[in-house]
Amino acid sequence: MPKKAKRPPAPMPQPTSRSTPWLISLVPVLAVIVSVVAWQQQQPDTPTRRAVSPIASELLSNTPALGTVLTQDIDASDPLWRHMPIQQGMHVIERIDSAPPHPGASMRFRVYRHATNQTIHRKGIKPDTGPIDIAFAADSMAEFRRRLASMAGFHVAPEVAQGLKQVWQLYSADGEPLDRMPMDVIRELPIMIAMEGGKWVWPAVAVGFKRRVSIGQTGSAIELETLALRPLVLRVSPFLTDEEIELILGLASPHMADSPVSLMDHDKGKAATEWRTSSQYFLPSSAHPAISKIRTRAQQLLRVPLDHQENAIQVLRYREAEKYDAHNDYFDMSMYKSQTAMVKAYDHGWKNRLLTLFWYMSDVPEGGETQFPRAGGRRFNGNYAECQGLKVRPEKGSAVLFYSLTASGDLDDFSLHGGCPVLSKDTIKWAANQWVWNKRF
């Protein structure tokens, strides 16, 4: 992250502190073609299917649809299939049904490293990107993980051995953790995804791509639409009901106060209003059962454990001309060196905000967008106050989801974002931050 002298600080995690992508050639898709037809031709009532648990059976029965959603049925001849940017630390693992190259290898896979079909050597990125074919045998999940990581070349940072960074994790194409699944399920899955950062990150596929995510036992669906891949930004719709919004505003309105910021070392002594002019209130999850219900909905959508969420929702109010200059939601420990307790508490930066789910609780006809100045790999001009780049307009009941860390678990400098000034007269922008961390909060 650039160390700009005038860079606005990130918000604090506790109540006391706190252009549309411009080049189509930057639009990648996840580089994998799933053999759905071959999968559907398999017998559905094999002994293996009957032997696995109900959860595993459901996972297997849903996999063809998941694979189709993952690839959006884009053919290998499509030129978009080979474009960058990569999805750093996300590795797509496709099962190959043909016979392994030697008798001792019972499983064969094509691993699309960093979720791309384009092979390239990039400085600072390990392993190299693009596909690699591997084959091996494994009787246990532990052995499967060792062989997969070794043969595919997954990057294991030294901080993993130090207990600071999390161990990589394996998921289904729909974000179901696989580490406790029996090997008979693992052998049958046509698609798996490994996340070096240890937490699920939704595969974005391509700008404009839409997927529907089932929530809860009722099967109600929320749509995710990819708005940018660098950083990863998705529109979430619908997320809140009108009744829930009315309740939240009723609980928060009497307590609104000026929004503070977390001051970096070089900004000590400055007023928060240099960057931020909104009002806020941290609404505890215990304030009403409906808040807990919304938090559970978010957990089911994000595929990240509930205890990784911050304990309160930051409700925000922006009146006319009020704004928040561009900033990052993660904590770059190089900017907080003098705050030793904070550095220790956040595992020297390896414990950090993974994502922000930003709720919109009112419509704003003009202004008030959430801006991403560096979306699409855009070069930043250094003006943190200017509203530029990708601009997401507030739509009541929806949310915008963006990741502050890459799938590798590293800080994403491109997640720089801010709140554009509200330009509509007699209009209040109501919103809320729901922050989710990569470790238990």
Side-chain angles (χ1 to χ4, degrees):
M1 185 175 72
K3 298 181 180 180
K4 300 286 185 179
K6 295 184 179 180
R7 181 173 186 165
M12 285 295 281
Q14 56 269 358
T16 57
S17 58
R18 186 71 185 157
S19 92
T20 300
W22 55 274
L23 185 60
I24 191 64
S25 64
L26 289 175
V27 178
V29 295
L30 287 175
V32 60
I33 299 299
V34 182
S35 181
V36 176
V37 175
W39 172 264
Q40 291 174 333
Q41 289 175 345
Q42 295 180 6
Q43 294 297 321
D45 295 319
T46 62
T48 299
R49 290 291 185 85
R50 289 195 296 268
V52 299
S53 67
I55 295 178
S57 296
E58 181 180 357
L59 180 63
L60 288 169
S61 65
N62 288 337
T63 298
L66 298 179
T68 304
V69 168
L70 184 68
T71 60
Q72 203 185 16
D73 292 328
I74 295 177
D75 187 80
S77 61
D78 191 317
L80 295 180
W81 206 62
R82 306 179 186 278
H83 284 182
M84 306 295 271
I86 64 174
Q87 298 297 291
Q88 184 178 341
M90 180 187 296
H91 308 294
V92 180
I93 303 148
E94 177 191 10
R95 191 190 73 206
I96 301 175
D97 289 325
S98 58
H102 54 84
S106 59
M107 295 176 287
R108 186 177 182 184
F109 302 98
R110 178 161 295 144
V111 181
Y112 294 89
R113 299 167 298 178
H114 303 294
T116 181
N117 189 46
Q118 182 171 341
T119 302
I120 188 171
H121 305 281
R122 175 172 286 189
K123 184 178 179 180
I125 300 296
K126 298 178 181 179
D128 294 335
T129 71
I132 181 174
D133 288 358
I134 60 175
F136 58 87
D139 295 325
S140 67
M141 176 56 76
E143 184 179 9
F144 180 87
R145 285 177 55 91
R146 285 195 301 269
R147 291 183 177 274
L148 175 63
S150 174
M151 298 182 76
F154 292 175
H155 176 59
V156 180
E159 290 81 6
V160 173
Q162 298 169 15
L164 297 175
K165 185 177 181 180
Q166 298 184 87
V167 177
W168 69 270
Q169 294 297 329
L170 190 66
Y171 295 89
S172 73
D174 198 39
E176 177 76 20
L178 297 178
D179 281 2
R180 296 185 180 181
M181 285 291 175
M183 282 305 299
D184 55 1
V185 174
I186 298 299
R187 291 187 184 97
E188 288 199 47
L189 285 174
I191 291 292
M192 295 173 282
I193 304 180
M195 302 287 179
E196 285 186 4
K199 286 295 176 289
W200 176 255
V201 173
W202 276 109
V205 182
V207 172
F209 175 74
K210 298 179 181 180
R211 74 169 81 231
R212 296 185 67 80
V213 181
S214 295
I215 301 297
Q217 297 180 347
T218 62
S220 59
I222 294 178
E223 182 179 87
L224 296 180
E225 178 185 0
T226 301
L227 304 181
L229 292 104
R230 192 181 189 187
L232 182 51
V233 183
L234 305 112
R235 166 80 75 176
V236 180
S237 180
F239 185 70
L240 297 172
T241 66
D242 288 345
E243 293 75 18
E244 289 169 337
I245 291 173
E246 183 177 354
L247 172 67
I248 293 168
L249 299 189
L251 292 171
S253 294
H255 308 284
M256 302 302 290
D258 291 344
S259 299
V261 295
S262 170
L263 294 176
M264 297 179 181
D265 293 344
H266 60 260
D267 289 321
K268 290 294 185 181
K270 296 181 180 179
T273 51
E274 290 193 29
W275 305 283
R276 191 177 195 183
T277 55
S278 61
S279 301
Q280 70 166 46
Y281 172 63
F282 277 88
L283 182 64
S285 57
S286 59
H288 194 279
I291 308 302
S292 296
K293 181 179 179 182
I294 297 170
R295 293 179 76 238
T296 300
R297 183 186 309 150
Q299 181 269 322
Q300 294 170 342
L301 170 69
L302 302 170
R303 310 312 205 226
V304 180
L306 190 63
D307 61 9
H308 288 41
Q309 297 181 21
E310 295 195 14
N311 300 323
I313 306 299
Q314 187 193 41
V315 179
L316 298 167
R317 180 182 64 200
Y318 292 83
R319 294 189 172 98
E320 184 182 357
E322 292 184 338
K323 48 87 177 182
Y324 190 3
D325 291 347
H327 59 284
N328 287 302
D329 278 0
Y330 61 65
F331 296 90
D332 182 350
M333 290 299 105
S334 68
M335 299 292 183
Y336 300 91
K337 290 181 179 179
S338 67
Q339 303 177 50
T340 55
M342 178 180 181
V343 172
K344 183 178 180 180
Y346 294 166
D347 293 345
H348 298 269
W350 290 107
K351 177 179 179 179
N352 225 309
R353 283 177 175 159
L354 169 67
L355 62 88
T356 300
L357 186 61
F358 192 69
W359 309 352
Y360 294 120
M361 296 188 290
S362 64
D363 294 314
V364 182
E366 187 177 3
E369 302 96 340
T370 305
Q371 57 141 334
F372 296 88
R374 303 192 66 186
R378 188 173 184 266
R379 185 182 298 276
F380 182 53
N381 62 9
N383 188 339
Y384 293 93
E386 180 183 354
C387 191
Q388 56 184 309
L390 172 65
K391 302 174 188 177
V392 183
R393 182 170 298 282
E395 295 179 3
K396 184 178 180 181
S398 70
V400 62
L401 164 63
F402 58 93
Y403 289 84
S404 294
L405 305 183
T406 64
S408 65
D410 296 304
L411 306 181
D412 188 356
D413 292 342
F414 290 88
S415 65
L416 188 73
H417 64 283
C420 298
V422 173
L423 302 179
S424 302
K425 293 184 180 297
D426 302 320
T427 296
I428 295 178
K429 172 186 172 182
W430 286 99
N433 275 309
Q434 184 176 16
W435 289 300
V436 180
W437 290 61
N438 64 340
K439 296 183 180 182
R440 183 180 299 173
F441 183 72

